[in-house]
Amino acid sequence: MEKPEKLIVDGKRLDGRGPEELRPLKIQAGALKRADGSAYVELGANKVLAAVYGPRELHPRHMQQPDTAVLRCRYNMAPFSVEERKRPGPDRRSVEISKVIREALEPVVFTKLYPRSGIDVFVEVLQADAGTRTAGITAAAVALADAGVPMRDLVSAVAVGKVDDTIVLDLTKEEDQFGTTDMPVAMLPRKRVITLLQMDGSFIEEEFERALALAMKGCEQIYEAQKQALKARYSIKPEEG
Amino acid sequence: MEKPEKLIVDGKRLDGRGPEELRPLKIQAGALKRADGSAYVELGANKVLAAVYGPRELHPRHMQQPDTAVLRCRYNMAPFSVEERKRPGPDRRSVEISKVIREALEPVVFTKLYPRSGIDVFVEVLQADAGTRTAGITAAAVALADAGVPMRDLVSAVAVGKVDDTIVLDLTKEEDQFGTTDMPVAMLPRKRVITLLQMDGSFIEEEFERALALAMKGCEQIYEAQKQALKARYSIKPEEG
Amino acid sequence: MEKPEKLIVDGKRLDGRGPEELRPLKIQAGALKRADGSAYVELGANKVLAAVYGPRELHPRHMQQPDTAVLRCRYNMAPFSVEERKRPGPDRRSVEISKVIREALEPVVFTKLYPRSGIDVFVEVLQADAGTRTAGITAAAVALADAGVPMRDLVSAVAVGKVDDTIVLDLTKEEDQFGTTDMPVAMLPRKRVITLLQMDGSFIEEEFERALALAMKGCEQIYEAQKQALKARYSIKPEEG
Amino acid sequence: MYEIISSVKRDYIADLARQEKRADARALDQYREVSVETGLIKSAQGSALVKIGNTQVLAGVKLERVEPFPDTPNSGVLMVNAELRPLASPTFEAGPPDENSIELARVVDRGIRESESIDLDKLGITPGKEVWAVYIDLHVLDYDGNLIDAASLAAIAALWNVKKPQVEGWTLDEFPVLKKPVAVTVVKIGEKLMVDPSLDEENVMDARLTISTLEDGSICAMQKGGVWCLTVEEIKAAYGLARAKAAELREHLK
Amino acid sequence: MYEIISSVKRDYIADLARQEKRADARALDQYREVSVETGLIKSAQGSALVKIGNTQVLAGVKLERVEPFPDTPNSGVLMVNAELRPLASPTFEAGPPDENSIELARVVDRGIRESESIDLDKLGITPGKEVWAVYIDLHVLDYDGNLIDAASLAAIAALWNVKKPQVEGWTLDEFPVLKKPVAVTVVKIGEKLMVDPSLDEENVMDARLTISTLEDGSICAMQKGGVWCLTVEEIKAAYGLARAKAAELREHLK
Amino acid sequence: MYEIISSVKRDYIADLARQEKRADARALDQYREVSVETGLIKSAQGSALVKIGNTQVLAGVKLERVEPFPDTPNSGVLMVNAELRPLASPTFEAGPPDENSIELARVVDRGIRESESIDLDKLGITPGKEVWAVYIDLHVLDYDGNLIDAASLAAIAALWNVKKPQVEGWTLDEFPVLKKPVAVTVVKIGEKLMVDPSLDEENVMDARLTISTLEDGSICAMQKGGVWCLTVEEIKAAYGLARAKAAELREHLK
């Protein structure tokens, strides 16, 4: 990818969006048959699947907790999901992202209801264009709901950043690479509290506060789409029974 | 290895054999002391050892089956067994071969007699010249019998193939590499049923049927040698008591 | 490092020491807070930490011994401890050294007092200049005593070798690399018996016997410093309570 | 790949087979619904999502410049990798490929390689220095039986989807894919043979035989699996089924 | 990194926090004793031992010649690695890096990389062929909480300790380190925020937020951790704490 | 390498030792039957099968062209690897080399390397670019004690078997092997020393000392093992045994 001269021209981003606009978003609940719950998210060119198994017996046994379910999370990129083929298997990036996704989801799950059991969340990135961790959280929250796991709230997530000195919502890969700052955020939409917050780059105080507010606004939009997806899933009786 | 102009000249193969002839075969039952059963097979330039341990307690415990013994198999090539030194440790090829060897042997073992236990079969290739998986099965069947594992039948195995448009028995490395087709086959010699069948290359229907029939004929010869080896082992009282 | 013309000039070594002289030695017992026992050793440019945990419950369980504690040892070099950065993780050298350190320490530990438990010894090399395994044993013995593990004796260790045809005590990296022979030795100082003995290079009988005697003399000096360090640790009431 | 199944279910499926019936009302020689969608993944040079019933396999083809193998200094390199992702089944575990995913990858690989479906000789760049590597990654998304057929079909569909790849330094006209080998897996339950096993059927099968054939009906690869035996007659019958069904599946590659 | 802690201890610490107190009598915005010693390790081009209370992290910087990444053919390479050595804690296990050590390394890495604290463009040697790699190895020796702050401080102190490195082929005057990003971790226990958590406090915390700031108070990296939430007000308050405390910690870098 | 042994057996062997007897009626300074067969493996440039009693080790030597190490740009490379194959003993497990196989390989390696038995300086090809690597692979086939002596003998026999290797690009006359270091392992049971321990003896031994000597009786490598101590007198006695027995074993290398 070559660096474009400007990432924002006449107030429009290279893909035509305004600074505070999300990419086209599509969420489907119940995308897979074998998983206890699942969801498929497209956000711009991102294509992400999430699947949930559990609550189920937890192996290995020594990981079982007497007073709570253990939430486990695994984020993975398909080898063909990125420009240069990614070697299969976990790398340092995916290990860290798996951890922050788990910590972003854990506050909404009533883990105490299922002592000794495990709840597994798998996030598979099929096509990547920046923002896969937040798209993964968005998908995982829907998959948890689809699996019938008791939850306090959903979790909605999106990235914000700074590009050509402008605070923008939902960065593309190009904006992530050639912009100044990337900040993924996850929020419990009803309580309006933050469960994921990472940042790389540069923000002064005022920028940070504006960016955080914009992220929360973006999460609200994501939340509406999540609710719609779950409604669509349960309003139509599935053919397969 | 350079490609020879022809692999069959005047009806004879490069090593002087006719198309339906086995390479020189030597089988020794009881080649090792520590193993519960063992066998050594030389087939042409192949030198293969097989050892059996068990039925014995199976570790790790979670692999134990309440109603049956678990048969495990591990095929391994010594680093010096091939032209270019093979790095120690399992590779994808040896993992697959271990699986098909296990599936080739499993039908003859009365696994149900030994619930919760394990039977381990180790095949070590010391020198390789094509046909090591079938030589390994041949050796492993003798080693199982030598270990006193109750069996329905032996298993006899050999490869067939197509070389210069001729269906031949028991390919050498040269014939395997420069020929058209390789098809390893394992058979229960008394029941005349197939427990291993793999094929790479090209066969039309008629060729396939002839090749399969030739493989079964080859397996019969292997079977005779296996029986001889077991007889030799038990007719002579071993010195070591 | 380039090879110097001579390693011993006028009876003095390149760092000014006589052949039978130790490098400056500093031992501190109780260098770490979390470990049950610990020690820090500087010997010339070597900087080595040892920590002991246990006797404690041993995991995984199948390693537990019904009649004895299991002593485990792990020797590790920090990536920055050597000239060329060492890749993190165990290599063949550190696996072997971990084994010989364990065997050097085991005779002094009353392992039978703690059936089913584990005692873990960790040796971390922070800066290396030849003789890290013996410095590690020296540190580990102090750390075991600091942890209150019941012991028959201490273990004191040092290397000897042959350099420019001279038998010398306590080789530097330069002397190890360009000298003829390296022989690490560990001794129970009160019983005067040997628990570690390795050698690479060349010794005729008379040289070997002189070298062994010199090593034992060196161990005696080490032993005095170990005792001083333990006295210093327990004469002063630690501030932290 | 074999899952725990209650003995009740096992007996039920075996009983049905004896009557030449199946739990989902299919005929013994009938596939579940098959669909092939290509080109879904823009970050791949070729891609295909194959569904056979509930089973879903996504294949992606990536082209990269690599050093050639010393014995074929001017030929491209084919690499097939299969990932039984844990999201696809409660029995798939995270971690390095196990024997089932390795067997799957190697069977798909042989079907393509031995049929010479890719003209690797055209994929040299600088002799002895650089050639094209063709990576086929098989990503199993949902597992309800018959992975081999689904993965094989996804692989060949993804290869035919490459066409004129958008990759730096590509100079050929078209990606040199030549043939359409199709794998058909026949399983034996009791005395009966059937195609396209569901997961439940796989769990009770005695043996399976996968046969990859070309348009002319010739065989390019075979793989027997399972812990029981096949008679010569069963093998011949399986070959007949494989040829007939391959023709049907090949329709999805048009 | 989270250890088993009795519920009695948990309640005690949470109760204290409610009263704005801590078990070691510190104020909520007070660090334990901090010390930074540099240059201890001669085999490294730069080194620093940081102690925060009983927590000890030793950082070593090694420079090596490596091939550049293809997309930055004339820029140096930064590699940060953290080892939670088992001698440092009964809960650290030998073996490959786990998620805690990977997160630690990556958070320290981002603090340095994103602030452009090293001028990597100066670290080319032969364009496209050879550049300097800067390895920062974080060796955790004693673990009593707040590793991120200790490791970040050790890393930047070790970088500033490099100066004119004694390494073959070095031609620059000074090692091009430009800035002093400092990480401050704020934890939330109940409704209260506090800096520099001890191990016991980490074990009962609801969430933590690490904020790396530069001299001008701007943020260069953040990382939230822990399994509970933060309000917007808490995040803003944490930022205030981070700026104030970073100024204090930066005094140790002089 | 240490196996579970009933305390009855342990006492029996220790009692015998006290009387200077052994379970297989050997003298304390007597080896079991030793045999050395060379050249069995045609795919190796040199090979040797050594049997000491029931213990069997097969060594293969392979020569390959590799890049030299930077500090010895024109010297060959020696690599020794030992595999305790699970077919050789119920206590050997499949998997990466454990501490016993690593120790075995490294002790054999040092015996050869430190005696300068191979003239590595003759194994350069293109200075700084290409040299010969000598891989010695030790394949343990049957394990009944005293692996170090069997493996060391197999390694040196395989090296002397290389002679004029059939390998592309070989230009030297003979393979430059110069010496015959021989390892002898002495074990201590109670107060007694004995050579060539059987497996049962290894399982009850207090300590072992392996001494590798050359034709002139000088020592080139030593390795103490086991969890108990040796006195200075025992070490000297072991050295005497090692020299005497090495001369006997060296007869098998003619």
Side-chain angles (χ1 to χ4, degrees):
Chain A
M1 207 158 30
E2 231 162 276
K3 188 174 172 162
E5 210 175 312
K6 288 186 113 193
L7 292 161
I8 299 188
V9 181
D10 297 334
K12 290 282 171 199
R13 297 152 76 176
L14 297 186
D15 58 4
R17 282 184 290 156
E20 310 207 345
E21 213 175 311
L22 270 186
R23 287 176 283 185
L25 172 64
K26 180 182 142 188
I27 306 181
Q28 182 199 344
L32 302 172
K33 291 292 167 185
R34 290 304 303 283
D36 296 325
S38 60
Y40 175 67
V41 165
E42 278 187 17
L43 176 64
N46 290 303
K47 300 186 184 208
V48 177
L49 266 175
V52 170
Y53 286 90
R56 60 179 175 180
E57 211 188 327
L58 181 61
H59 291 285
R61 282 210 169 190
H62 66 84
M63 286 190 66
Q64 292 182 2
Q65 299 294 329
D67 57 343
T68 183
V70 173
L71 182 69
R72 294 188 295 188
C73 185
R74 190 172 287 263
Y75 164 98
N76 182 64
M77 295 188 110
F80 44 73
S81 64
V82 280
E83 198 73 7
E84 191 180 347
R85 178 177 181 268
K86 193 205 154 289
R87 277 184 54 176
D91 54 11
R92 286 160 48 116
R93 177 179 171 276
S94 67
V95 169
E96 186 200 349
I97 292 181
S98 296
K99 179 179 191 287
V100 297
I101 291 181
R102 187 187 72 231
E103 293 174 335
L105 295 171
E106 186 136 354
V108 299
V109 180
F110 285 102
T111 48
K112 301 282 179 188
L113 295 178
Y114 303 98
R116 301 198 175 281
S117 67
I119 300 171
D120 286 300
V121 176
F122 300 107
V123 171
E124 288 289 327
V125 178
L126 306 179
Q127 189 171 285
D129 187 30
T132 59
R133 82 190 66 186
T134 43
I137 291 167
T138 297
V142 174
L144 280 164
D146 183 47
V149 172
M151 293 161 80
R152 285 185 180 81
D153 201 342
L154 282 177
V155 188
S156 310
V158 76
V160 289
K162 187 166 77 173
V163 163
D164 287 0
D165 286 314
T166 306
I167 304 297
V168 299
L169 181 67
D170 188 22
L171 283 68
T172 61
K173 192 165 56 181
E174 217 170 6
E175 291 172 334
D176 183 20
Q177 193 173 336
F178 301 116
T180 312
T181 309
D182 178 36
M183 183 167 89
V185 175
M187 177 174 92
L188 307 202
R190 292 191 298 186
K191 281 215 159 185
R192 299 185 60 78
V193 290
I194 305 299
T195 67
L196 172 91
L197 179 60
Q198 298 183 290
M199 188 276 237
D200 299 336
S202 173
F203 268 153
I204 60 169
E205 182 164 12
E206 181 269 337
E207 290 168 341
F208 170 54
E209 294 187 359
R210 270 204 293 139
L212 188 57
L214 178 58
M216 293 173 80
K217 227 175 90 184
C219 286
E220 283 163 29
Q221 286 177 261
I222 303 276
Y223 177 51
E224 290 308 313
Q226 288 174 306
K227 283 191 297 187
Q228 283 306 321
L230 285 164
K231 258 187 219 159
R233 164 80 164 150
Y234 291 102
S235 57
I236 308 155
K237 277 272 159 282
E239 291 169 52
E240 300 83 1
Chain B
M1 203 156 35
E2 233 162 273
K3 186 172 173 166
E5 209 176 312
K6 289 185 111 191
L7 291 160
I8 300 187
V9 182
D10 298 336
K12 291 283 172 199
R13 297 152 76 176
L14 297 185
D15 58 4
R17 281 185 291 157
E20 310 208 345
E21 214 175 310
L22 271 186
R23 288 176 284 184
L25 173 63
K26 179 182 142 188
I27 307 181
Q28 183 200 343
L32 302 172
K33 292 292 168 186
R34 291 303 303 284
D36 295 326
S38 60
Y40 174 68
V41 166
E42 278 187 17
L43 177 65
N46 289 303
K47 300 186 184 208
V48 177
L49 266 174
V52 170
Y53 285 90
R56 60 178 175 181
E57 211 186 326
L58 181 62
H59 292 285
R61 283 209 168 190
H62 67 83
M63 287 192 64
Q64 291 183 4
Q65 299 293 330
D67 58 342
T68 183
V70 172
L71 183 67
R72 294 188 294 187
C73 185
R74 189 172 285 263
Y75 164 99
N76 182 64
M77 294 188 111
F80 45 73
S81 65
V82 281
E83 198 74 6
E84 192 180 347
R85 178 176 181 268
K86 193 205 154 289
R87 276 185 55 176
D91 54 12
R92 286 161 48 117
R93 177 179 172 276
S94 67
V95 170
E96 186 200 349
I97 292 182
S98 296
K99 180 179 190 286
V100 298
I101 291 181
R102 188 186 73 231
E103 292 174 334
L105 295 171
E106 185 136 353
V108 300
V109 179
F110 285 103
T111 47
K112 300 283 177 187
L113 294 178
Y114 303 97
R116 301 199 174 280
S117 66
I119 300 171
D120 286 300
V121 176
F122 300 107
V123 171
E124 287 290 326
V125 178
L126 306 178
Q127 189 171 283
D129 187 30
T132 58
R133 82 190 67 188
T134 43
I137 291 168
T138 297
V142 175
L144 280 164
D146 183 47
V149 172
M151 293 161 80
R152 285 182 181 83
D153 202 343
L154 283 176
V155 187
S156 310
V158 75
V160 288
K162 188 165 77 171
V163 163
D164 287 2
D165 286 314
T166 306
I167 304 296
V168 300
L169 181 66
D170 188 21
L171 284 69
T172 61
K173 193 165 53 182
E174 216 170 6
E175 291 172 334
D176 183 19
Q177 192 172 336
F178 301 115
T180 312
T181 309
D182 178 36
M183 182 167 89
V185 175
M187 177 173 93
L188 306 203
R190 292 192 299 187
K191 283 215 159 184
R192 298 185 60 78
V193 292
I194 305 299
T195 67
L196 172 91
L197 179 61
Q198 297 183 289
M199 189 275 236
D200 299 335
S202 171
F203 269 153
I204 60 168
E205 181 162 13
E206 181 269 337
E207 290 167 341
F208 169 54
E209 294 186 0
R210 271 204 294 137
L212 188 58
L214 178 57
M216 293 174 80
K217 227 174 90 183
C219 287
E220 283 165 27
Q221 286 176 263
I222 304 276
Y223 177 52
E224 290 308 312
Q226 288 173 306
K227 281 192 298 186
Q228 283 307 319
L230 285 164
K231 257 187 219 159
R233 163 81 164 150
Y234 291 102
S235 56
I236 308 156
K237 278 272 157 281
E239 291 169 53
E240 298 83 3
Chain C
M1 206 157 34
E2 232 164 272
K3 186 172 174 166
E5 209 177 312
K6 288 186 112 192
L7 291 161
I8 299 188
V9 181
D10 298 336
K12 291 284 171 196
R13 296 152 77 177
L14 297 186
D15 58 3
R17 280 185 293 156
E20 310 206 344
E21 214 175 310
L22 271 186
R23 288 176 283 185
L25 173 63
K26 179 181 141 188
I27 306 181
Q28 182 199 344
L32 303 172
K33 292 292 168 185
R34 291 303 304 282
D36 296 325
S38 59
Y40 174 68
V41 165
E42 278 187 19
L43 177 64
N46 289 303
K47 299 185 184 209
V48 177
L49 265 175
V52 169
Y53 285 90
R56 59 179 176 181
E57 212 187 325
L58 181 61
H59 292 286
R61 282 210 169 191
H62 66 85
M63 285 191 65
Q64 292 183 2
Q65 298 294 329
D67 57 342
T68 183
V70 172
L71 183 68
R72 294 188 294 188
C73 186
R74 190 171 286 262
Y75 165 98
N76 183 64
M77 294 188 111
F80 45 72
S81 64
V82 282
E83 199 73 6
E84 192 180 346
R85 180 177 180 266
K86 194 205 154 289
R87 278 184 52 175
D91 54 12
R92 286 160 50 116
R93 177 178 171 277
S94 67
V95 170
E96 185 200 350
I97 292 181
S98 296
K99 180 178 191 286
V100 298
I101 292 180
R102 187 186 72 230
E103 293 174 335
L105 296 172
E106 185 136 354
V108 299
V109 180
F110 285 103
T111 48
K112 300 283 178 187
L113 295 178
Y114 304 98
R116 299 196 177 282
S117 66
I119 300 171
D120 285 299
V121 176
F122 300 106
V123 171
E124 287 290 325
V125 178
L126 306 179
Q127 188 171 286
D129 187 29
T132 59
R133 82 190 67 186
T134 44
I137 291 168
T138 296
V142 174
L144 280 164
D146 183 47
V149 172
M151 293 162 81
R152 285 184 181 82
D153 201 343
L154 283 178
V155 188
S156 309
V158 76
V160 289
K162 188 165 76 172
V163 164
D164 287 2
D165 286 314
T166 306
I167 304 298
V168 300
L169 180 67
D170 188 21
L171 284 68
T172 61
K173 192 165 55 183
E174 215 170 6
E175 292 172 334
D176 182 20
Q177 193 173 336
F178 301 116
T180 312
T181 309
D182 178 36
M183 182 166 89
V185 175
M187 177 173 93
L188 307 202
R190 291 192 299 188
K191 281 214 159 185
R192 298 185 59 80
V193 291
I194 304 300
T195 66
L196 171 92
L197 179 61
Q198 298 184 290
M199 188 277 236
D200 299 335
S202 172
F203 268 154
I204 60 169
E205 181 163 13
E206 181 269 338
E207 289 168 341
F208 169 54
E209 294 187 359
R210 271 204 293 138
L212 188 57
L214 178 58
M216 293 173 80
K217 227 175 90 183
C219 287
E220 283 164 29
Q221 286 177 261
I222 304 276
Y223 178 50
E224 289 308 313
Q226 288 174 305
K227 282 192 297 187
Q228 283 306 320
L230 285 164
K231 258 187 219 159
R233 164 80 164 150
Y234 291 103
S235 57
I236 308 156
K237 277 273 160 280
E239 291 168 53
E240 300 82 2
Chain D
M1 256 185 259
Y2 309 109
E3 311 200 357
I4 296 154
I5 190 167
S6 75
S7 67
V8 176
K9 207 171 190 181
R10 185 181 300 275
D11 292 346
Y12 171 66
I13 290 169
D15 274 352
L16 279 177
R18 223 165 286 136
Q19 307 164 48
E20 308 214 336
K21 289 183 184 167
R22 305 173 79 167
D24 53 9
R26 282 185 288 156
L28 296 186
D29 66 349
Q30 191 185 346
Y31 269 68
R32 292 168 290 180
E33 197 178 325
V34 175
S35 80
V36 178
E37 284 177 273
T38 55
L40 295 169
I41 302 298
K42 303 302 172 205
S43 43
Q45 274 77 55
S47 60
L49 175 66
V50 166
K51 298 182 189 173
I52 300 186
N54 292 328
T55 291
Q56 287 192 47
V57 179
L58 178 59
V61 174
K62 296 284 279 182
L63 299 174
E64 291 197 359
R65 294 153 170 276
V66 298
E67 266 188 55
F69 290 118
D71 50 342
T72 51
N74 203 25
S75 290
V77 166
L78 171 65
M79 309 277 270
V80 180
N81 177 61
E83 299 274 317
L84 307 186
R85 300 306 309 159
L87 96 165
S89 164
T91 61
F92 292 171
E93 285 177 25
D98 67 356
E99 62 172 26
N100 292 310
S101 61
I102 288 172
E103 186 189 32
L104 178 61
R106 286 176 59 84
V107 169
V108 172
D109 180 302
R110 286 199 292 264
I112 292 165
R113 189 184 302 275
E114 298 296 329
S115 62
E116 298 176 353
S117 288
I118 303 173
D119 189 351
L120 293 174
D121 291 343
K122 289 213 173 134
L123 295 178
I125 302 173
T126 315
K129 299 262 182 190
E130 227 183 7
V131 299
W132 289 106
V134 181
Y135 289 97
I136 305 179
D137 283 290
L138 301 163
H139 226 61
V140 177
L141 302 179
D142 213 351
Y143 171 44
D144 192 19
N146 202 13
L147 279 186
I148 298 181
D149 294 4
S152 299
L153 195 60
I156 197 72
L159 284 173
W160 279 90
N161 177 240
V162 175
K163 291 172 187 148
K164 199 166 165 59
Q166 297 305 312
V167 61
E168 215 194 297
W170 184 261
T171 53
L172 294 180
D173 247 14
E174 288 277 300
F175 181 69
V177 56
L178 305 171
K179 293 181 188 166
K180 291 179 179 166
V182 169
V184 170
T185 296
V186 177
V187 301
K188 172 180 171 181
I189 298 177
E191 310 278 292
K192 302 298 175 186
L193 300 181
M194 59 188 76
V195 300
D196 183 28
S198 70
L199 179 60
D200 284 345
E201 288 166 346
E202 274 186 13
N203 285 330
V204 305
M205 76 172 182
D206 295 301
R208 65 166 156 77
L209 182 61
T210 301
I211 304 180
S212 295
T213 53
L214 293 173
E215 284 89 335
D216 64 3
S218 67
I219 313 173
C220 57
M222 287 198 287
Q223 181 89 344
K224 183 254 175 192
V227 298
W228 204 246
C229 322
L230 292 167
T231 65
V232 171
E233 292 65 39
E234 287 165 346
I235 292 167
K236 290 180 182 172
Y239 180 22
L241 277 168
R243 270 190 301 190
K245 292 292 136 182
E248 277 179 35
L249 292 174
R250 205 171 278 115
E251 290 297 306
H252 293 278
L253 297 175
K254 281 183 178 163
Chain E
M1 254 186 258
Y2 308 109
E3 313 200 357
I4 295 153
I5 192 168
S6 74
S7 66
V8 176
K9 208 173 191 179
R10 187 181 299 274
D11 292 347
Y12 172 65
I13 292 169
D15 273 353
L16 280 177
R18 224 165 286 136
Q19 309 163 46
E20 308 215 338
K21 290 183 184 168
R22 305 173 78 168
D24 53 10
R26 281 187 288 157
L28 296 187
D29 67 349
Q30 190 184 348
Y31 268 69
R32 292 167 290 178
E33 197 179 324
V34 174
S35 79
V36 178
E37 285 178 272
T38 56
L40 296 170
I41 303 298
K42 303 301 172 205
S43 43
Q45 273 77 55
S47 60
L49 176 66
V50 166
K51 297 182 190 174
I52 299 184
N54 292 328
T55 290
Q56 288 193 46
V57 178
L58 177 59
V61 174
K62 298 282 280 181
L63 299 175
E64 290 196 0
R65 293 153 170 276
V66 298
E67 265 188 56
F69 290 118
D71 50 342
T72 51
N74 203 25
S75 290
V77 166
L78 171 66
M79 310 277 270
V80 179
N81 177 60
E83 299 273 316
L84 307 186
R85 301 305 311 159
L87 95 167
S89 164
T91 60
F92 292 172
E93 284 178 26
D98 67 355
E99 62 172 26
N100 293 311
S101 60
I102 288 172
E103 186 189 32
L104 178 62
R106 287 176 59 85
V107 169
V108 172
D109 180 301
R110 287 199 292 263
I112 292 165
R113 188 184 302 275
E114 298 295 328
S115 61
E116 299 178 353
S117 288
I118 304 173
D119 188 351
L120 293 174
D121 291 343
K122 288 214 172 132
L123 295 179
I125 303 174
T126 314
K129 299 262 182 191
E130 226 183 7
V131 299
W132 289 106
V134 180
Y135 289 96
I136 304 179
D137 283 291
L138 301 163
H139 226 61
V140 177
L141 303 179
D142 214 351
Y143 171 45
D144 191 20
N146 201 12
L147 279 185
I148 298 181
D149 294 4
S152 300
L153 195 59
I156 197 72
L159 284 173
W160 280 91
N161 178 240
V162 175
K163 290 170 188 150
K164 199 169 165 58
Q166 297 304 312
V167 59
E168 218 193 298
W170 184 261
T171 54
L172 294 180
D173 246 15
E174 288 276 302
F175 181 70
V177 56
L178 305 172
K179 294 181 188 166
K180 291 179 178 166
V182 169
V184 169
T185 296
V186 176
V187 301
K188 172 181 171 181
I189 297 177
E191 310 278 292
K192 302 297 175 185
L193 300 181
M194 59 187 76
V195 300
D196 182 28
S198 69
L199 180 60
D200 284 345
E201 288 165 347
E202 274 186 13
N203 285 331
V204 305
M205 74 172 183
D206 295 301
R208 64 165 157 77
L209 182 62
T210 301
I211 303 179
S212 295
T213 53
L214 293 173
E215 284 89 335
D216 65 2
S218 67
I219 313 174
C220 57
M222 287 198 287
Q223 181 90 344
K224 183 254 175 192
V227 297
W228 204 245
C229 323
L230 292 167
T231 65
V232 171
E233 292 65 40
E234 286 165 345
I235 291 168
K236 290 179 182 173
Y239 180 22
L241 277 168
R243 271 190 301 189
K245 292 293 137 180
E248 277 178 37
L249 292 175
R250 206 171 277 117
E251 290 297 307
H252 294 278
L253 296 175
K254 283 185 176 161
Chain F
M1 254 186 259
Y2 309 109
E3 312 201 358
I4 296 155
I5 191 168
S6 73
S7 66
V8 176
K9 208 173 190 180
R10 185 182 300 274
D11 293 346
Y12 171 66
I13 291 168
D15 274 352
L16 280 177
R18 225 166 284 136
Q19 308 163 47
E20 309 213 338
K21 289 184 183 165
R22 305 173 80 166
D24 53 10
R26 280 187 288 157
L28 297 187
D29 66 349
Q30 191 185 345
Y31 269 69
R32 291 168 290 180
E33 198 179 324
V34 174
S35 78
V36 178
E37 285 177 272
T38 56
L40 295 170
I41 303 298
K42 303 303 173 205
S43 43
Q45 274 76 56
S47 60
L49 176 66
V50 165
K51 297 182 190 173
I52 300 185
N54 292 327
T55 291
Q56 288 192 46
V57 178
L58 178 59
V61 174
K62 297 283 279 181
L63 299 174
E64 291 196 359
R65 293 152 171 277
V66 297
E67 266 188 54
F69 290 117
D71 50 342
T72 52
N74 202 25
S75 291
V77 166
L78 171 66
M79 308 278 269
V80 180
N81 177 60
E83 298 275 316
L84 307 186
R85 300 305 311 158
L87 95 166
S89 164
T91 60
F92 292 171
E93 284 177 26
D98 68 355
E99 63 171 27
N100 293 309
S101 61
I102 288 172
E103 186 189 31
L104 179 62
R106 286 175 59 84
V107 168
V108 172
D109 180 302
R110 287 200 291 264
I112 292 164
R113 188 185 301 274
E114 298 295 329
S115 61
E116 298 177 354
S117 287
I118 303 172
D119 188 350
L120 294 174
D121 291 343
K122 288 214 172 132
L123 295 179
I125 304 172
T126 314
K129 298 264 183 188
E130 226 183 7
V131 299
W132 288 106
V134 181
Y135 288 96
I136 304 178
D137 282 290
L138 301 163
H139 225 62
V140 177
L141 302 179
D142 214 351
Y143 171 45
D144 191 20
N146 201 14
L147 279 185
I148 298 181
D149 295 4
S152 299
L153 195 60
I156 197 72
L159 284 173
W160 280 90
N161 177 240
V162 176
K163 291 171 187 146
K164 200 168 163 56
Q166 298 304 312
V167 61
E168 216 194 299
W170 184 261
T171 54
L172 294 180
D173 247 15
E174 289 276 299
F175 181 69
V177 56
L178 306 171
K179 293 181 189 165
K180 291 179 177 164
V182 169
V184 170
T185 297
V186 177
V187 301
K188 172 180 172 182
I189 298 178
E191 310 278 292
K192 302 298 176 185
L193 300 181
M194 59 188 75
V195 300
D196 182 28
S198 69
L199 180 60
D200 285 346
E201 288 166 346
E202 274 187 11
N203 285 331
V204 305
M205 76 172 182
D206 295 300
R208 64 166 156 77
L209 182 62
T210 300
I211 304 179
S212 295
T213 54
L214 293 173
E215 285 90 335
D216 65 4
S218 66
I219 314 174
C220 57
M222 288 198 287
Q223 181 89 345
K224 183 254 175 191
V227 298
W228 204 246
C229 323
L230 292 167
T231 65
V232 171
E233 292 65 40
E234 286 165 347
I235 291 168
K236 290 179 181 172
Y239 179 22
L241 278 167
R243 272 190 300 189
K245 293 291 134 181
E248 277 179 36
L249 292 175
R250 205 171 278 116
E251 290 296 307
H252 293 278
L253 297 176
K254 282 184 177 162

